[in-house]
């Protein structure tokens, strides 16, 4: 197990802000814990207890890549409020004129959380945001979270494409089928 995986595993077993900061510090983020206050669209303010900027890092292709921890009033489960959480992230990106960020949604420490990458890319004269279902992990102490631990733990957070690939399950699926294929050939 690599160091990044070792540092993120306790986070997967039980979320804590300190565990998140320790992991981000290992990935060369600069800690910048600061409570922020912004006006969220619609009724989103009613579902948020607090928003904190946790860390910042300059990437090869993005000057300011920030990490936010958003404490929510409602419980988080696999299917709950992905779209609403995505809208909160978009509102934060717009408010600070950022093109991408990591957003961790949680209710309390030790409980399940959502770890999401939200970004926008220019297409012609429009800015198009990442699909809200695609770049997110639901992490619960009740699950093994192997994909999250391996993909995010091994990500170096050097550029946006590398971070996007940390949210891709395709490499793990290929690895799984390669192992099955090897086992099958040896079994014959």
């Amino acid at each position: 197990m690599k160091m990044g995986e070792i540092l993120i595993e306790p986070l997967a077993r039980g979320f804590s802000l300190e565990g998140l900061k320790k992991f981000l510090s290992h990935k060369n983020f600069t800690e910048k814990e600061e409570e922020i206050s912004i006006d969220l669209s619609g009724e989103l303010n009613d579902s948020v207890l607090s928003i904190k900027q946790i860390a910042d890092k300059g990437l090869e292709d993005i000057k300011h890549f920030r990490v936010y921890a958003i404490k929510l009033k409602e419980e988080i489960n696999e299917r709950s409020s992905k779209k609403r959480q995505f809208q909160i992230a978009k509102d934060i990106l717009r408010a600070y004129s950022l093109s991408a960020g990591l957003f961790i949604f949680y209710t309390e420490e030790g409980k399940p959380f959502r770890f999401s990458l939200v970004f926008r890319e220019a297409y012609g004269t429009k800015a198009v945001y990442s699909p809200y279902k695609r770049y997110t992990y639901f992490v619960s102490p009740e699950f093994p979270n192997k994909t999250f631990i391996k993909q995010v733990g091994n990500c170096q957070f050097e550029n946006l494409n590398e971070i996007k690939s940390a949210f891709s399950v395709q490499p793990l699926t290929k690895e799984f089928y390669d192992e099955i294929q090897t086992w099958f050939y040896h079994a014959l």
Side-chain angles (χ1 to χ4, degrees):
M1 197 179 261
K2 296 181 181 171
M3 183 55 97
E5 292 177 51
I6 291 168
L7 288 171
I8 204 161
E9 188 175 18
L11 196 62
R13 285 194 313 252
F15 176 77
S16 75
L17 286 173
E18 286 308 311
L20 176 63
K21 289 181 212 171
K22 188 174 181 178
F23 172 73
L24 294 171
S25 174
H26 174 73
K27 299 297 182 176
N28 298 318
F29 279 83
T30 303
E31 186 178 326
K32 289 188 177 180
E33 188 169 342
E34 174 186 351
E35 185 101 18
I36 64 169
S37 178
I38 67 166
D39 244 353
L40 300 171
S41 56
E43 297 175 7
L44 293 175
N45 283 319
D46 297 337
S47 62
V48 174
L49 285 171
S50 68
I51 302 172
K52 288 183 181 177
Q53 178 185 328
I54 300 297
D56 189 343
K57 183 176 183 177
L59 306 180
E60 293 168 357
D61 51 354
I62 297 175
K63 186 175 181 180
H64 292 287
F65 184 78
R66 294 184 181 155
V67 180
Y68 294 92
I70 298 100
K71 189 169 186 177
L72 302 173
K73 293 178 184 174
E74 70 230 10
E75 287 297 312
I76 297 174
N77 61 48
E78 273 185 282
R79 303 189 186 280
S80 71
S81 310
K82 263 192 239 181
K83 189 154 185 155
R84 193 173 326 145
Q85 293 163 9
F86 179 73
Q87 187 59 49
I88 292 167
K90 281 176 35 180
D91 286 353
I92 294 169
L93 290 178
R94 278 191 206 116
Y96 293 97
S97 301
L98 300 170
S99 58
L102 279 178
F103 299 87
I104 294 81
F105 298 93
Y106 70 105
T107 54
E108 56 186 273
E109 295 198 355
K111 297 283 188 174
F113 64 98
R114 189 174 315 282
F115 191 91
S116 300
L117 168 66
V118 179
F119 59 91
R120 64 186 165 110
E121 296 177 310
Y123 286 102
T125 59
K126 288 186 174 186
V128 178
Y129 283 90
S130 53
Y132 75 92
K133 292 180 182 179
R134 172 72 178 85
Y135 297 95
T136 190
Y137 285 105
F138 173 73
V139 183
S140 172
E142 298 170 13
F143 301 145
N145 303 302
K146 289 179 183 177
T147 305
F148 170 74
I149 291 168
K150 184 168 183 132
Q151 295 289 91
V152 176
N154 291 328
C155 182
Q156 294 305 309
F157 296 91
E158 296 297 329
N159 60 61
L160 187 57
N161 282 334
E162 182 202 9
I163 298 168
K164 285 180 193 178
S165 71
F167 286 83
S168 171
V169 294
Q170 197 170 22
L172 287 183
T173 304
K174 182 178 178 350
E175 180 181 317
F176 170 76
Y177 282 111
D178 288 346
E179 286 176 16
I180 291 291
Q181 183 179 18
T182 303
W183 177 84
F184 183 74
Y185 285 125
H186 288 295
L188 293 175

